[in-house]
Amino acid sequence: MKAVFVEQPGGPENLKYADQPKPEPGPGQALVKIAAAGVNFIDVYFRIGLYPATPPIVLGNEGAGTVEAVGPDVKNIAPGDRVAYAMARGSYAEYAVVPAWQLVKIPPAIDFQTAAAAMLQGMTAHYLTHSTYPLKAGDSCLIHAAAGGVGLILVQMAKMLGARVIGTVGNEEKAQQAKVAGADEVVIYTKEDFTAKAKGVHVVYDSVGKSTFLQSLDCLRPRGMMVTFGNASGPVPDFAPLVLSQKGSLFLTRPSLAHYTSTPEELSWRAGDVLNWIAQGKLKLHIHKVYPLADAAQAHRDLEGRKTSGKLLLCYPS
Ligand code: NDP
């Protein structure tokens, strides 16, 4: 089968599009014929070696497709089921083997591309707003990269919960997109300091990391919560906990989706909400572009080059 993988960590040029053995499902696993794979920043971290894995590393942590076969002991799904998943690596390929418990059946109203676009970023926005810092009406939040894949969904969910949203974005066009998603205020942080407009927020959702972390702490009210959940500009440097006290007895967390979808019940709650809200029109996805699987390197260049807003997908021509 065709797959996109890295043998040596590095730039997008290190992505190889070539044959890999078709995987076989073992106990508790399913073989999924991938119809669409989501591109996420986590794929960049695996490509550059920030998140280590054993080569050849087939990239892709999100996909949607049809179950082709199941291994022993699989009861929750069967061949022919339309499924989607996140946080199992190997979706930049024609086929992927996935732990069966991580597969969610796609409602009939939702197509494969929408499902592949929804799972990882949708469930991330869900846990951030419903569990890490559960937003309630009247809360205020700062969301960095508000026009990104996670960002546009996060803005919508924060508004659904009644929060006031201040978003940051890299340019005018993205500012417009964040506003359409519901942001009350948008700051173009490449030109303007965001701390003044975001002063006193209850929570900061920061996926940008290195370049925004310290300034974000200055936006929080006493006992506010700093949620640093990504490294788009690089990992946050070492940091003294005493700073949290000096800036107002702040809370700091560095969460991961894996720990917020660690049981079938929790996964089903988050994926169910996300897919149902999409089917009901309450949550809108913005697909930036669908790339052929063979062009995964270009998708990475666009994502890292801050040229995209919303979701990037890969599809293998069938
Ligand atoms: P995005 O679509 O948000 O793309 C990243 C965005 O970050 C860019 O578009 C850009 O927006 C902004 N950015 C700011 N500085 C930089 C920089 N130096 N280089 C590149 N981009 C920069 O990506 P995703 O939606 O896939 O992911 C968003 C973040 O969320 C990532 O950091 C990812 O790791 C994290 N994440 C974390 C999860 C978790 O559970 N911890 C799960 C899912 C995602 P702009 O131009 O507007 O500044």
Side-chain angles (χ1 to χ4, degrees), residues 39-43 45 51 62 87 120-125 127-128 144-152 154 168-171 174-175 187 189-190 206-209 211-212 227-234 254-260 302-312:
V39 177
N40 294 282
F41 233 91
I42 191 172
D43 307 335
Y45 306 147
Y51 293 179
E62 181 180 39
M87 300 307 270
L120 199 150
Q121 296 172 341
M123 291 198 293
T124 298
Y127 86 72
L128 292 171
H144 288 305
V150 175
L152 284 175
L154 202 43
T168 61
V169 294
N171 63 35
K174 291 184 180 187
V187 182
Y189 57 179
T190 42
D206 185 347
S207 65
V208 172
S211 68
T212 48
V227 184
T228 171
F229 71 98
N231 329 292
S233 68
R254 190 2 178 141
S256 164
L257 174 60
H259 302 126
Y260 283 87
D302 292 348
L303 182 67
E304 289 173 279
R306 304 172 73 166
K307 295 200 176 101
T308 68
S309 57
K311 189 72 195 177
L312 289 70

Side-chain angles (χ1 to χ4, degrees), residues 107-111 114 118 156-157 160 269-285:
I110 293 184
D111 61 36
T114 304
Q156 293 178 74
M157 285 191 194
M160 282 160 103
W269 168 42
R270 300 197 197 284
D273 276 359
V274 170
L275 295 174
N276 288 334
W277 292 337
I278 292 169
Q280 292 160 6
K282 290 184 189 161
L283 180 66
K284 303 246 183 308
L285 297 183

Side-chain angles (χ1 to χ4, degrees), residues 142 144 168 187 189 192-198 212 215-216 219:
L142 172 61
H144 288 305
T168 61
V187 182
Y189 57 179
E192 209 187 319
D193 180 7
F194 60 82
T195 44
K197 271 198 182 140
T212 48
Q215 268 180 293
S216 294
C219 298

Side-chain angles (χ1 to χ4, degrees), residues 11-85:
E13 66 284 357
N14 284 28
L15 289 180
K16 288 202 170 145
Y17 174 72
D19 287 316
Q20 282 285 309
K22 184 174 169 181
E24 283 184 16
Q29 296 179 326
L31 178 70
V32 180
K33 185 174 194 310
I34 302 291
V39 177
N40 294 282
F41 233 91
I42 191 172
D43 307 335
V44 173
Y45 306 147
F46 276 107
R47 194 202 70 216
I48 64 178
L50 180 67
Y51 293 179
T54 310
I57 309 166
V58 179
L59 294 186
N61 284 272
E62 181 180 39
T66 308
V67 175
E68 193 166 277
V70 294
D73 309 327
V74 172
K75 305 224 160 43
N76 60 321
I77 42 133
D81 284 346
R82 298 166 73 248
V83 292
Y85 68 94

